[in-house]
Amino acid sequence: MSYPEPRYLGENGEISAVFRGAGTPPDIVSPGGTETHYLASHASTGGEFGLYKVDMGPRAPGARTHFHRSISESFYVLSGEVQLYDGDRWITGRQGDFLYVPVGGLHAFKNDTDDPVSMLMLFSPGAPREEYFERVAEFAQRGGEELREFQVRHDSFFV
């Protein structure tokens, strides 16, 4: 096994780190009280990965079973209990639990409890998921072909 080819060819490094403080408000508050924090977006990582903190309220529906053709998705539970579907069965994810879903892997998640849950979601490579998070509720209300086209444009294939 070897490292990828170098992409930075400078001699002394550069000042390029990006800091986001813990008190930064969520980037999106969705219906049902789900808050999404863009920790590392497609834009801020140059497409390397996307990392999002998702705080789901009690009984939040999450996402039903789907897969992605171009990105993997990972879940890391920070607090609470979340139901994670691994393509075969539902698993209760608790603090410190991790689920990796390779490209093409069926998955889903939801909060079936009366308590909030917080988790990290990692997409690799970093697809531009921000528009999906910001507009999925709007397109879900429209339904039909518009919703389907929106989902396909954002590499989300529901079964």
Side-chain angles (χ1 to χ4, degrees):
M1 183 173 134
S2 62
Y3 279 82
E5 289 296 316
R7 294 183 292 158
Y8 174 75
L9 303 175
E11 294 297 322
N12 299 312
E14 62 187 23
I15 298 170
S16 56
V18 178
F19 177 79
R20 180 181 168 103
T24 304
D27 294 279
I28 301 173
V29 178
S30 303
T34 296
E35 297 179 347
T36 304
H37 302 259
Y38 298 171
L39 303 179
S41 67
H42 169 264
S44 70
T45 67
E48 289 188 38
F49 68 94
L51 180 64
Y52 307 89
K53 180 176 175 259
V54 178
D55 298 321
M56 298 172 69
R59 304 278 169 199
R64 57 187 171 75
T65 304
H66 64 287
F67 65 93
H68 306 290
R69 294 183 189 274
S70 65
I71 54 177
S72 66
E73 187 170 356
S74 298
F75 301 86
Y76 181 81
V77 183
L78 298 169
S79 64
E81 292 185 359
V82 62
Q83 294 299 305
L84 300 167
Y85 183 64
D86 69 359
D88 181 45
R89 62 190 168 99
W90 286 95
I91 303 164
T92 300
R94 295 178 177 88
Q95 183 177 353
D97 287 342
F98 176 78
L99 175 68
Y100 168 67
V101 183
V103 174
L106 292 169
H107 61 286
F109 62 92
K110 60 186 174 181
N111 181 1
D112 278 347
T113 73
D114 292 325
D115 297 313
V117 65
S118 182
M119 64 182 173
L120 296 175
M121 293 172 50
L122 173 73
F123 296 91
S124 180
R129 297 298 285 173
E130 297 79 29
E131 182 190 22
Y132 183 81
F133 295 140
E134 293 165 7
R135 301 192 65 198
V136 67
E138 169 194 339
F139 277 88
Q141 287 182 341
R142 294 180 190 180
E145 191 58 28
E146 280 187 271
L147 173 60
R148 187 180 143 345
E149 288 174 5
F150 176 79
Q151 291 168 332
V152 168
R153 187 168 70 245
H154 290 283
D155 190 25
S156 295
F157 299 87
F158 288 84
V159 296

